[in-house]
């Protein structure tokens, strides 16, 4: 599923990366796709949800570009029917190491639990 999200964002030219692979400063907007916690369903130990964080980075010189870029990301991910937005989005903060504004959008995927 991570690969499907990556492919969808790549096809829309939204510059996706796995965690830890973007090198250097933020010179153009990009997103990091991070898998998070797996949460079992209250009614079952067979089904659950996997949290996916989409972390957005936009150069510090472009604060006004953050919202339009995030809208493009949300729009692209709407096309993946198994991905559900939780409504949790972090406020825009600065990342001094990357020289970027950053925010994240949380999604969940319904899935069969492994193991």
């Amino acid at each position: 599923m991570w690969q499907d999200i990556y492919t969808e964002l790549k096809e829309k030219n939204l510059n996706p990366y796995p965690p830890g692979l973007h090198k250097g400063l933020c010179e153009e907007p990009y997103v990091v796709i991070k898998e998070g916690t797996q949460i079992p369903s209250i009614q079952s130990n067979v089904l659950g949800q996997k949290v996916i964080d989409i972390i957005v980075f936009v150069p510090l010189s472009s604060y006004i570009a953050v919202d339009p870029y995030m809208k493009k990301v949300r729009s692209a991910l709407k096309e993946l029917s198994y991905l559900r937005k939780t409504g949790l989005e972090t406020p825009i903060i600065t990342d001094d190491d990357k020289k970027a504004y950053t925010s994240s959008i949380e999604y969940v995927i319904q899935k069969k639990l492994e193991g």
Side-chain angles (χ1 to χ4, degrees), residues 71-85:
K71 285 179 181 174
K72 288 179 186 177
V73 170
R74 284 188 217 102
S75 178
L77 295 178
K78 275 185 184 178
E79 296 183 24
L80 300 175
S81 61
Y82 58 82
L83 199 59
R84 185 176 58 83
K85 199 166 162 282

Side-chain angles (χ1 to χ4, degrees), residues 12 22 24 33 43-45 52 57 90 101 104 113:
K12 302 286 194 273
H22 184 273
I33 307 161
Q43 298 88 7
S44 170
N45 63 352
I52 303 290
F57 292 84
T90 62
Y101 292 109
S104 67
L113 300 180

Side-chain angles (χ1 to χ4, degrees), residues 5-17 28-32 55-57 68-77:
I5 296 167
Y6 178 89
T7 300
E8 186 68 31
L9 293 171
K10 187 77 168 172
E11 286 175 357
K12 302 286 194 273
N13 296 315
L14 293 170
N15 209 10
Y17 283 87
E28 63 181 348
Y30 68 94
V31 295
V32 172
I55 307 164
V56 174
F57 292 84
Y69 185 68
M70 288 184 72
K71 285 179 181 174
K72 288 179 186 177
V73 170
R74 284 188 217 102
S75 178
L77 295 178

